[in-house]
């Protein structure tokens, strides 16, 4: 794990408002945010839902998220599973869980017009490591662990949301050992999506064997990456 991140993990992040009026968290010491400052909800819907979850066109999916963070991607995936009648087994990992008292202040459920599901969002945050939450057609499991240490099932995930902090902050999370781990955990025809379009990262994906697509990103991001496991 990056010592840079480890050193500052006790320092409080601060809430900021992004351009679509949704909030995110900023870690001032790293000048790093949990979501795009051009729109947190817009980013999540565009990259992970539209270009990942819905791109696959499957009705039953195993999804893995690297970096649960505020839970925004997980919550929007949950809402999508309800609206589109999808059966989702959602697994995610987080080694520095945020206090729910802070996450609550982001008001995601009200911005997403889903205050009736507030309690489910809270349950996701309060869930213990590896506790299974059954929320209708959406099964949720969170590993409270570092991705480097977590054993993942082989050939299991249809979709991977790769939502780590950027390579400038945590370069090791964008290098071959972990990306190979993602490949191994994915089914054939599985899809990994991420906001990252860095050259070295894309070369590493190709070396591993991924078929790489550079696709248009949300506002403020010309290009994002989608990597397909076609073997
Ligand atoms: C960009 S944020 C994720 C944002 C999140 N997807 C959301 O919707 O709020 C990256 C997350 O990865 C977590 N993280 C950092 N290093 C990690 C590691 N080695 N293993 C697991 N999680 C890690 C951070 O604590 C942070 O919550």
């Amino acid at each position: 794990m990056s010592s840079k991140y480890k050193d500052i993990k006790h320092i409080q992040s601060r809430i900021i408002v992004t351009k679509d009026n949704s909030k995110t968290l900023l870690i001032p010491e790293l000048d790093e945010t949990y979501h795009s400052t051009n729109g947190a909800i817009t980013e999540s819907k565009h990259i992970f839902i539209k270009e990942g979850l819905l791109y696959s066109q499957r009705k039953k999916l195993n999804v893995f998220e690297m970096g649960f963070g505020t839970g925004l991607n997980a919550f929007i995936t949950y809402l999508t599973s309800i609206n589109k009648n999808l059966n989702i087994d959602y697994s995610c990992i987080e080694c520095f869980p945020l206090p729910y008292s802070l996450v609550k202040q982001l008001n995601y459920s009200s911005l997403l017009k889903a205050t009736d599901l507030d309690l489910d969002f809270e349950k996701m945050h309060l869930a213990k490591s590896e506790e299974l939450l059954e929320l209708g057609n959406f099964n949720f499991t969170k590993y409270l662990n570092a991705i480097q240490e977590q054993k993942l099932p082989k050939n299991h995930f249809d979709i991977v949301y790769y939502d780590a902090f950027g390579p400038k902050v945590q370069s090791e999370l964008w290098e071959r050992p972990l990306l190979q781990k993602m490949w191994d955990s994915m089914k054939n025809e599985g899809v990994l999506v991420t906001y990252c379009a860095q050259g070295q990262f894309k070369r590493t994906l190709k070396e591993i064997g991924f078929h790489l697509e550079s696709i248009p990103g949300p506002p403020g991001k010309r290009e994002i990456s989608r990597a397909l496991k076609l073997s």
Side-chain angles (χ1 to χ4, degrees):
M1 195 177 312
S2 161
S3 53
K4 203 173 167 195
Y5 186 53
K6 240 177 172 174
D7 289 347
I8 63 92
K9 74 177 194 279
H10 301 294
I11 297 174
Q12 283 206 329
S13 46
R14 148 163 100 67
I15 295 177
I16 58 164
V17 180
T18 69
K19 284 192 184 156
D20 67 359
N21 222 22
S22 58
K23 294 174 186 164
T24 191
L25 297 173
L26 165 74
I27 305 175
E29 283 71 12
L30 292 179
D31 193 25
E32 186 74 1
T33 50
Y34 277 65
H35 307 97
S36 165
T37 53
N38 285 300
I41 288 182
T42 304
E43 176 192 49
S44 176
K45 284 185 172 170
H46 179 102
I47 300 179
F48 301 106
I49 306 300
K50 176 169 171 271
E51 301 297 355
L53 189 74
L54 300 180
Y55 168 81
S56 81
Q57 298 196 337
R58 291 181 196 179
K59 286 280 177 196
K60 193 173 180 325
L61 305 109
N62 296 332
V63 179
F64 179 74
E65 178 181 25
M66 165 53 216
F68 172 71
T70 67
L72 178 61
N73 290 338
F75 193 51
I76 298 184
T77 304
Y78 175 44
L79 301 182
T80 309
S81 77
I82 296 170
N83 294 336
K84 303 263 179 200
N85 201 20
L86 307 176
N87 259 284
I88 297 183
D89 269 337
Y90 196 91
S91 306
C92 55
I93 190 157
E94 177 55 61
C95 66
F96 304 124
L98 293 164
Y100 187 61
S101 55
L102 174 63
V103 172
K104 243 165 99 169
Q105 295 172 45
L106 301 171
N107 286 331
Y108 287 144
S109 64
S110 90
L111 284 169
L112 292 164
K113 302 190 175 32
T115 45
D116 53 324
L117 298 171
D118 243 348
L119 196 61
D120 291 340
F121 188 46
E122 180 170 353
K123 281 184 192 162
M124 290 180 198
H125 276 276
L126 301 186
K128 297 193 180 69
S129 192
E130 298 190 38
E131 175 187 344
L132 174 67
L133 282 184
E134 292 176 297
L135 305 170
N137 290 343
F138 186 85
N139 288 338
F140 175 89
T141 311
K142 182 174 64 185
Y143 300 100
L144 291 172
N145 198 1
I147 184 72
Q148 295 90 328
E149 286 158 32
Q150 184 62 45
K151 213 169 161 355
L152 296 177
K154 303 275 184 215
N155 302 313
H156 181 73
F157 295 112
D158 298 286
I159 310 285
V160 171
Y161 298 168
Y162 207 79
D163 200 15
F165 287 133
K168 284 197 194 117
V169 178
Q170 286 189 290
S171 58
E172 69 283 7
L173 299 185
W174 302 91
E175 290 167 2
R176 185 154 184 158
L178 281 185
L179 298 176
Q180 182 69 51
K181 190 171 191 165
M182 292 302 121
W183 167 280
D184 294 341
S185 76
M186 290 164 66
K187 281 183 191 163
N188 188 28
E189 297 189 6
V191 177
L192 179 151
V193 267
T194 179
Y195 65 87
C196 184
Q198 190 216 42
Q200 183 54 55
F201 165 64
K202 292 198 289 188
R203 284 190 289 280
T204 307
L205 288 174
K206 284 189 197 158
E207 280 164 25
I208 291 171
F210 281 104
H211 172 84
L212 186 77
E213 295 177 351
S214 294
I215 53 177
K221 185 94 186 125
R222 196 172 53 84
E223 191 184 295
I224 59 171
S225 303
R226 182 164 57 212
L228 312 179
K229 177 176 176 178
L230 303 175
S231 59

